[in-house]
Amino acid sequence: MASRFTRLTTAIPQLARGYAAAANVKAPITLHGLDGRYATALFTAAARQGSLEAVEKDLKALQGAVTKDKAVGAFLENPTINRVKKIEGVNALLAKAGTPNTLTKNLFETLAENGRLEQTPKVIAAYVELMSAHRNELPMVITSAKELDKATLNKISDALQKSALAEGKKLLVSNKVKPDIMGGLLVEIGDKSIDLTVSSKLAKLNKLVTDSV
């Protein structure tokens, strides 16, 4: 039985072209891979209907459920569970956060019917990436040995926001704790990085000592 999504277009390539043509909407960046195609098709459909944020909220709620409970991820990846049961399960998860957008429900019906629900985390990540680009945002991950307080994160963000590394975009700051860096910071902005960690400096020192022997 065709889903609401697939009644409009029967496969992802046509879906993406159909929505983009109908609304003359272009994704802010080009994503590749199957997850990128699903996410781009969803983005163009949501943009046409003015539902970008609503869909994003639904997807993040489901992402939270997958992250919080490993059983949810196992359910999505289990090929022995039939399509109807999977659709019912996903709809139940989405309903916990409120009434999901129709486009969100249709996406997961399509993923289930195509046997692609295991792609859910990747599709969500791709959609979030599209939304960040849509908002002219750039992710910045600050890795530290211990959790940094908000004031410190803001100070680093404010300093780098004015630099060429920000590319004129709004920096979205997150802090990742990794004790084995020993101290210092690793700052990643988009595809660029600044490594000021103690572990990195020790590695360079060890290399100098080894090369000199």
Side-chain angles (χ1 to χ4, degrees):
M1 181 179 66
S3 71
R4 295 169 188 168
F5 223 36
T6 53
R7 275 198 288 269
L8 291 173
T9 49
T10 57
I12 284 298
Q14 292 92 338
L15 184 150
R17 289 196 296 269
Y19 277 137
N24 197 25
V25 173
K26 288 186 177 180
I29 54 176
T30 301
L31 299 180
H32 302 285
L34 190 60
D35 53 306
R37 292 163 67 193
Y38 276 107
T40 299
L42 180 61
F43 179 92
T44 55
R48 185 183 72 158
Q49 295 189 10
S51 302
L52 288 171
E53 288 76 17
V55 170
E56 182 182 32
K57 180 182 177 182
D58 292 341
L59 295 182
K60 286 187 173 181
L62 184 57
Q63 183 182 48
V66 172
T67 301
K68 185 178 180 180
D69 189 348
K70 291 182 179 180
V72 175
F75 169 78
L76 295 174
E77 295 173 6
N78 191 337
T80 65
I81 300 174
N82 69 52
R83 182 185 67 205
V84 174
K85 291 294 184 184
K86 282 196 171 182
I87 292 174
E88 290 175 352
V90 171
N91 284 340
L93 287 169
L94 290 170
K96 286 183 178 181
T99 304
N101 186 275
T102 300
L103 288 174
T104 308
K105 293 179 66 176
N106 292 345
L107 167 71
F108 288 106
E109 286 182 10
T110 303
L111 288 173
E113 289 175 359
N114 294 341
R116 300 291 186 181
L117 273 175
E118 79 282 352
Q119 293 284 325
T120 293
K122 291 182 179 180
V123 173
I124 293 175
Y127 187 88
V128 170
E129 185 177 353
L130 286 168
M131 288 298 292
S132 279
H134 171 67
R135 297 185 182 112
N136 200 33
E137 297 169 342
L138 189 63
M140 178 171 77
V141 181
I142 302 174
T143 302
S144 54
K146 295 181 179 180
E147 185 176 358
L148 300 177
D149 58 45
K150 187 174 181 180
T152 301
L153 290 173
N154 287 342
K155 188 175 181 179
I156 297 170
S157 176
D158 289 345
L160 292 174
Q161 183 69 69
K162 302 170 185 175
S163 73
L165 291 171
E167 301 175 4
K169 299 179 180 180
K170 179 183 177 181
L171 295 177
L172 284 183
V173 186
S174 62
N175 182 204
K176 182 164 64 175
V177 178
K178 193 175 180 183
D180 60 4
I181 69 170
M182 302 170 69
L185 299 172
L186 172 61
V187 181
E188 297 168 283
I189 304 177
D191 58 357
K192 304 177 182 68
S193 63
I194 306 170
D195 192 344
L196 303 174
T197 61
V198 171
S199 59
S200 173
K201 292 176 181 178
L202 287 175
K204 290 176 182 178
L205 179 60
N206 287 336
K207 187 177 186 304
L208 285 174
V209 172
T210 302
D211 291 346
S212 65
V213 173

